[in-house]
Amino acid sequence: MTDDTLKIAGREYTSRLIIGTGKYKSYAQNAEAARAAGAEMVTVALRRVNLSNPDEDRLQDHVSPDKYTYLPNTAGCFTADDAVRTLRLAREAGGWDLVKLEVLSDQKTLYPDMEETLSAAKALIADGFQVMVYCSDDPVYAKKLEDVGCCAIMPLGSLIGSGLGIQNPLNIRLIVENARVPVIVDAGVGTASDAAIAMELGCDGVLMNTAIAEAKDPVRMARAMKHAVLAGREAYLAGRMGRKRYADPSSPLAGLI
């Protein structure tokens, strides 16, 4: 599948699995999981990951920014202004212009505030950022975010960290069908079958953190997720058989001896 690359904001990736850098027991374990996943991009929660204090263990000492694309995100932001300010500071600190925007509505559900998200996306794009955006599984808002210039749409499968899987496959499929930019399921994946379902729906990739980091064996789960994403993508490209109401024998019933 070497010619089946994921293209985001002019960059190409052979892996369609993006992983996070939170909740792992250590940055060393995070790095081992990233290798097992075959990931080429990792999300970085700027408020929670040590990038600057040399007196403490730093993410980049294990997950090298020379090997992985760092995708700074605005985890923990609840207003558009806060998200925009956070990413502007990130660009000054690390020169990043490809970013993941998320603006949350409340602490309990971590559901995206779509009005604030759209406002932040407009401001960031006007400021020269390439915005990959976490959003609800609402086809209308997904289209609005694409129309204002977001380079990837990232609808939730279910609530962040819930592991509930893809709760609304119909809406995910509608978002995929209407999109001209990559659609990446972000949030809710719990196990490999969830990742495969996302890819079979036609999504261009899957982003996950908790599903790997909180598995009993994170490295093995990372490897499972890699295979699930590959299998789901292959199944989508192959085109599944049609569903039938009755049995259809593999061998013909006519002409038997």
Side-chain angles (χ1 to χ4, degrees):
M1 297 179 65
T2 54
D3 59 339
D4 182 41
T5 55
L6 172 62
K7 299 178 178 66
I8 301 175
R11 312 177 195 199
E12 292 193 12
Y13 301 92
T14 57
S15 173
R16 293 175 178 271
L17 175 57
I18 304 169
I19 72 167
T21 52
K23 300 185 177 181
Y24 289 90
K25 292 180 180 178
S26 66
Y27 290 143
Q29 185 188 65
N30 196 166
E32 193 176 354
R35 288 191 293 271
E40 297 169 290
M41 180 185 292
V42 296
T43 61
V44 179
L46 296 165
R47 296 180 162 193
R48 301 170 183 165
V49 171
N50 179 34
L51 296 172
S52 58
N53 186 353
D55 297 327
E56 297 179 1
D57 208 17
R58 298 182 304 173
L59 175 66
Q60 60 265 44
D61 296 331
H62 300 272
V63 182
S64 172
D66 294 329
K67 184 176 180 180
Y68 298 92
T69 296
Y70 273 27
L71 184 65
N73 70 46
T74 56
C77 291
F78 291 85
T79 67
D81 288 344
D82 204 9
V84 171
R85 187 183 310 111
T86 298
L87 290 176
R88 284 174 176 163
L89 289 171
R91 183 166 60 183
E92 290 180 15
W96 295 297
D97 62 350
L98 179 64
V99 296
K100 179 195 166 190
L101 170 65
E102 55 182 87
V103 184
L104 307 176
S105 60
D106 65 270
Q107 290 278 3
K108 184 176 182 180
T109 68
L110 301 182
Y111 206 77
D113 183 323
M114 294 311 302
E115 186 176 1
E116 290 289 294
T117 297
L118 185 58
S119 176
K122 290 177 180 178
L124 289 166
I125 291 164
D127 203 18
F129 285 92
Q130 299 281 356
V131 177
M132 300 171 64
V133 60
Y134 168 65
C135 60
S136 64
D137 56 358
D138 180 345
V140 175
Y141 257 114
K143 193 61 179 174
K144 287 182 178 181
L145 289 165
E146 180 181 343
D147 289 344
V148 301
C150 291
C151 64
I153 306 301
M154 308 176 78
L156 54 80
S158 52
L159 300 181
I160 290 174
S162 68
L164 292 172
I166 309 298
Q167 291 295 298
N168 199 335
L170 173 61
N171 276 17
I172 298 294
R173 174 63 63 83
L174 289 173
I175 291 171
V176 169
E177 289 179 353
N178 291 330
R180 300 184 305 275
V181 297
V183 175
I184 299 170
V185 161
D186 177 11
V189 168
T191 190
S193 57
D194 299 330
I197 288 170
M199 298 305 296
E200 288 173 4
L201 288 170
C203 292
D204 298 279
V206 183
L207 189 155
M208 64 186 71
N209 185 67
T210 308
I212 296 175
E214 293 193 352
K216 292 181 179 179
D217 185 338
V219 176
R220 175 166 283 185
M221 183 61 80
R223 192 176 303 115
M225 292 298 189
K226 176 180 73 173
H227 292 304
V229 168
L230 288 170
R233 179 65 177 174
E234 286 278 65
Y236 172 72
L237 294 176
R240 66 156 288 148
M241 63 168 284
R243 291 180 171 87
K244 303 172 184 179
R245 294 181 61 188
Y246 302 103
D248 184 6
S250 299
S251 302
L253 296 178
L256 298 178
I257 297 175

